[in-house]
Amino acid sequence: MAKKYNICLDIGGTKVLGAIFDEEEKIIYRLKKKTKEGGDSSENVEEVIISVVEEMIKESGIKKKDINAIAAGAPGVINQETGVVLFSPNLPWRDYDIKTPLEKRFGVPFYIGNDVNVGVLGEYKYGAGKGYKNIVGFFVGTGMGGGLILDGKLFTGNQFKAAEYGHMVLNTEGPLCNCGQRGCLEIFSSKKGMSAYIREQAARGRECMLADKIENGVFKSKMLKKSIAANDTVTMEAVDRACHYLAVATGNMINVVSPDLVVYGGGVMEAVGDVFLEKIAAEVDKYCMPSIRTTVELKNAALGDDSILYGALSMINGK
Amino acid sequence: MAKKYNICLDIGGTKVLGAIFDEEEKIIYRLKKKTKEGGDSSENVEEVIISVVEEMIKESGIKKKDINAIAAGAPGVINQETGVVLFSPNLPWRDYDIKTPLEKRFGVPFYIGNDVNVGVLGEYKYGAGKGYKNIVGFFVGTGMGGGLILDGKLFTGNQFKAAEYGHMVLNTEGPLCNCGQRGCLEIFSSKKGMSAYIREQAARGRECMLADKIENGVFKSKMLKKSIAANDTVTMEAVDRACHYLAVATGNMINVVSPDLVVYGGGVMEAVGDVFLEKIAAEVDKYCMPSIRTTVELKNAALGDDSILYGALSMINGK
């Protein structure tokens, strides 16, 4: 292409992570900024996005006229065609058109999609999912996100709301989730779910290395890693429970989709290595039809924290 | 088309149902034959299929040269491209090529797909699903079948094995299913599941109109209808439990797919009218994300016992 750089963004609840890709699809510059400091309004997040893009251009020394496009993944229900964020649990945007002002500001096309959808797309095009056709992705972080590649394309369903299997009910008698349901995957297997279990056990007087590390309802993934390394009893109970229900959900999704790959990403997977994957793999056969299980592989994501950045890149180049 | 008639078949575990469609897509002749009588081999089922087709041609008075194609739905995992039945729980076929002998015999193209997949396709093209784009279908019969229309096309996943959400686990502590899992949809909501519940209650000395009507593990759908009409206590407990778990499964599938329609078909739905649909609709909001629920409709199938025949027709005409 004539214009050789693409700018990709991972917009989170508290930060904007940016990267500049060169024409060989390598990341040549990175920047991360927090969003909360200057207030919590639509404008603030938009200002942080703008400042990340401008600072990256300036500091990397590339020319504005060499920028081909900008793309982003963000949490929530996002209309990928119009660039309107319909609803986001962690961002101050409701029916908010983020595409128009950014295209006006930078004079290049702007693309945006749901962060986990985009992350699974990234793994499909550049990571663990290369060469597969039907992929179920679980992204384990503060919450539990999902993304589906079906027949070789990102599947977003009616009005871009598909792949919310973080809230699939697995045990109708289970604990209550924020979403109002009982026993859905997120309440067992996300950082929020594991943290809630640890707090409950700590409240009963049991010791757990992670109990006093929980802030705003969650521990940090690297603290989880330490606590697993120390084989902390209550931590391992929370991990075993998380993996048990991830295995059940994986089995259900194998039965629903008959994928050729199930991929596990997100901050927790990135931090703990193969601990979760091995536990899930050991149990999943119990929860899906043997004839379907035989043709599906389970893998960890390969791009780590960059899944969403690479997925944004593939929204731009359509690859 | 030059050749004006299409022959469509619904191949079941114990019968072959046939219909001739004219060029206006109306059924002009029907025939049903049992399969089990002459033995239970691959050849026998194939012979019954051949005799249904030949007898329909003869009795309807159409000419063989006016037949355009033959298509069928059958239970099991079926490669729609090659016409090979890979596996079928209720038919004596394993890796069995049914397409080649039938094309040779009748000299016209032969198409075959999984019966519930084909039935949901029929509802999409000719029935309750007309005009929708993403459809989740539940077919409630002896077992529990599923079919998915995604982005306006029948979705079959890797190796034609998708949409087995009859075996989605909904309650990890639930009763054991034939498939080896606990608490999957089929064990609660199919005729097998309801029959098992009724037998258990009868064994405890409770009275139930349906208890002595169960043969080969299931009651007949029209007996269920009578028992519901009489408001039989244990029957209604079985129905309420079936609808509760159908509501949970519907909620899960709404979260996974974000469909614009969920359609309920099969022998039970055909027999009982809106009883199940109303109970499911009353509960489903509890089991899916409110923001996704708002853009999905729930309906009964419109084609009754003909869903599979119409789906077979749409495999032929590609409509």
Side-chain angles (χ1 to χ4, degrees):
Chain A
M1 62 195 156
K3 298 183 176 187
K4 37 188 175 180
Y5 300 109
N6 287 304
I7 294 184
C8 296
L9 305 167
D10 172 357
I11 302 167
T14 57
K15 58 95 183 80
V16 173
L17 175 66
I20 301 178
F21 285 86
D22 69 10
E23 50 202 330
E24 281 161 356
E25 303 183 334
K26 295 275 176 297
I27 295 177
I28 58 162
Y29 197 83
R30 289 171 180 275
L31 185 65
K32 190 176 184 173
K33 284 199 177 196
K34 292 199 171 167
T35 44
K36 294 279 180 184
E37 289 156 356
D40 199 3
S41 69
S42 313
E43 288 69 28
N44 169 250
V45 179
E46 196 176 312
E47 279 161 24
V48 176
I49 292 170
I50 290 168
S51 93
V52 166
V53 173
E54 295 205 321
E55 196 172 319
M56 285 204 299
I57 294 169
K58 194 176 157 204
E59 296 298 321
S60 68
I62 69 169
K63 288 172 188 153
K64 258 192 181 170
K65 68 173 178 60
D66 287 335
I67 296 167
N68 176 58
I70 305 173
V77 179
I78 298 173
N79 185 326
Q80 281 184 227
E81 283 159 19
T82 61
V84 172
V85 179
L86 303 168
F87 167 82
S88 178
N90 304 315
L91 291 171
W93 290 342
R94 294 285 177 282
D95 293 317
Y96 188 73
D97 175 5
I98 181 69
K99 182 185 175 76
T100 306
L102 290 177
E103 291 197 337
K104 198 170 282 178
R105 175 83 183 213
F106 293 103
V108 296
F110 177 81
Y111 305 89
I112 187 165
N114 169 274
D115 51 2
V116 180
N117 282 200
V118 171
V120 174
L121 182 65
E123 287 294 330
Y124 169 48
K125 296 292 186 177
Y126 295 95
K130 270 199 276 190
Y132 294 85
K133 199 176 159 195
N134 291 294
I135 303 172
V136 170
F138 290 93
F139 271 47
V140 187
T142 301
M144 175 70 66
L148 289 171
I149 304 293
L150 302 181
D151 283 340
K153 275 171 42 188
L154 180 64
F155 178 79
T156 52
N158 188 20
Q159 300 189 17
F160 304 91
K161 297 184 287 194
E164 282 290 353
Y165 38 83
H167 296 283
M168 176 183 271
V169 175
L170 302 173
N171 184 341
T172 46
E173 321 292 314
L176 200 63
C177 177
N178 275 341
C179 73
Q181 299 175 158
R182 285 195 173 277
C184 55
L185 176 60
E186 181 166 293
I187 196 65
F188 296 116
S189 306
S190 67
K191 285 209 279 189
K192 277 192 285 193
M194 288 185 271
S195 299
Y197 178 85
I198 287 164
R199 278 198 162 164
E200 277 164 32
Q201 297 306 313
R204 298 177 59 219
R206 298 181 67 196
E207 282 192 17
C208 177
M209 279 174 66
L210 275 175
D212 61 356
K213 302 288 190 296
I214 295 170
E215 280 172 39
N216 299 318
V218 287
F219 49 73
K220 289 202 160 50
S221 296
K222 54 186 167 185
M223 295 309 302
L224 174 64
K225 185 185 180 182
K226 273 192 194 170
S227 208
I228 290 172
N231 205 22
D232 179 82
T233 304
V234 170
T235 300
M236 292 317 294
E237 288 172 10
V239 167
D240 286 341
R241 193 180 75 145
C243 292
H244 168 66
Y245 283 100
L246 266 166
V248 179
T250 298
N252 281 354
M253 288 304 298
I254 287 173
N255 282 345
V256 169
V257 169
S258 184
D260 41 8
L261 178 68
V262 180
V263 67
Y264 304 89
V268 168
M269 294 302 172
E270 178 59 11
V272 302
D274 287 337
V275 175
F276 275 54
L277 183 64
E278 282 169 10
K279 287 179 186 285
I280 296 165
E283 255 203 284
V284 72
D285 292 12
K286 287 196 272 178
Y287 303 112
C288 57
M289 309 277 279
S291 61
I292 311 182
R293 176 68 184 92
T294 54
T295 50
V296 56
E297 288 179 64
L298 313 185
K299 285 186 183 180
N300 270 334
L303 302 173
D305 292 335
D306 293 340
S307 303
I308 294 167
L309 297 173
Y310 277 94
L313 181 65
S314 77
M315 281 202 288
I316 295 174
N317 61 24
K319 279 212 303 202
Chain B
M1 60 194 157
K3 298 183 174 185
K4 38 190 174 180
Y5 300 109
N6 287 304
I7 295 184
C8 296
L9 305 167
D10 172 357
I11 302 168
T14 58
K15 58 94 181 86
V16 173
L17 175 67
I20 300 177
F21 284 86
D22 69 11
E23 52 203 326
E24 281 161 354
E25 302 181 335
K26 295 274 176 298
I27 294 177
I28 59 161
Y29 197 84
R30 289 173 181 276
L31 185 65
K32 190 175 184 172
K33 284 199 177 194
K34 292 198 171 166
T35 43
K36 293 280 180 185
E37 289 157 356
D40 199 4
S41 69
S42 313
E43 288 69 29
N44 169 251
V45 178
E46 196 177 312
E47 278 161 25
V48 175
I49 292 170
I50 290 169
S51 92
V52 165
V53 172
E54 295 206 320
E55 195 172 320
M56 284 204 298
I57 294 170
K58 194 176 158 203
E59 295 298 320
S60 68
I62 69 169
K63 288 172 189 155
K64 259 192 181 170
K65 69 174 178 56
D66 286 338
I67 298 167
N68 176 61
I70 305 172
V77 179
I78 299 172
N79 185 325
Q80 280 184 226
E81 283 161 18
T82 61
V84 172
V85 179
L86 303 169
F87 168 83
S88 177
N90 304 314
L91 290 171
W93 290 341
R94 294 285 178 282
D95 293 317
Y96 188 72
D97 174 6
I98 181 69
K99 182 184 174 78
T100 305
L102 291 177
E103 291 197 336
K104 197 170 282 181
R105 175 85 183 211
F106 293 104
V108 297
F110 177 81
Y111 305 90
I112 188 165
N114 170 275
D115 51 0
V116 179
N117 282 200
V118 171
V120 174
L121 182 65
E123 288 294 330
Y124 169 48
K125 295 294 184 173
Y126 295 95
K130 270 198 277 191
Y132 294 85
K133 198 177 160 197
N134 291 296
I135 303 173
V136 171
F138 290 93
F139 271 48
V140 188
T142 300
M144 175 71 66
L148 289 171
I149 303 294
L150 301 181
D151 283 340
K153 274 171 42 187
L154 180 64
F155 178 78
T156 52
N158 188 19
Q159 301 188 17
F160 303 92
K161 297 185 285 192
E164 283 290 351
Y165 37 83
H167 296 283
M168 175 183 272
V169 175
L170 302 174
N171 184 340
T172 46
E173 320 292 313
L176 199 63
C177 177
N178 274 341
C179 73
Q181 299 174 157
R182 287 195 172 275
C184 55
L185 176 61
E186 182 166 293
I187 197 64
F188 297 116
S189 305
S190 68
K191 286 208 279 187
K192 277 191 285 194
M194 288 185 271
S195 299
Y197 179 85
I198 287 164
R199 280 197 161 165
E200 276 165 33
Q201 296 306 313
R204 298 177 58 219
R206 296 182 68 196
E207 282 193 17
C208 177
M209 278 175 68
L210 275 176
D212 61 357
K213 302 288 189 295
I214 296 170
E215 281 173 38
N216 299 318
V218 287
F219 50 72
K220 287 201 161 51
S221 296
K222 55 186 167 185
M223 296 308 303
L224 175 64
K225 185 185 179 183
K226 272 191 193 169
S227 207
I228 290 172
N231 205 20
D232 179 81
T233 303
V234 171
T235 300
M236 293 316 295
E237 288 172 11
V239 167
D240 286 341
R241 192 181 75 144
C243 292
H244 168 66
Y245 283 101
L246 267 166
V248 178
T250 298
N252 281 354
M253 288 304 299
I254 288 173
N255 283 344
V256 169
V257 170
S258 185
D260 41 8
L261 177 68
V262 180
V263 67
Y264 303 90
V268 168
M269 294 302 173
E270 177 60 9
V272 304
D274 288 337
V275 175
F276 275 53
L277 183 64
E278 283 168 8
K279 286 179 187 286
I280 296 165
E283 256 203 283
V284 71
D285 291 13
K286 286 195 272 179
Y287 303 111
C288 58
M289 309 276 281
S291 61
I292 312 182
R293 177 69 185 92
T294 54
T295 49
V296 55
E297 289 180 64
L298 312 186
K299 284 187 183 180
N300 271 333
L303 302 172
D305 293 335
D306 294 340
S307 303
I308 294 168
L309 296 174
Y310 277 94
L313 180 65
S314 77
M315 280 201 288
I316 295 174
N317 62 26
K319 279 214 303 204

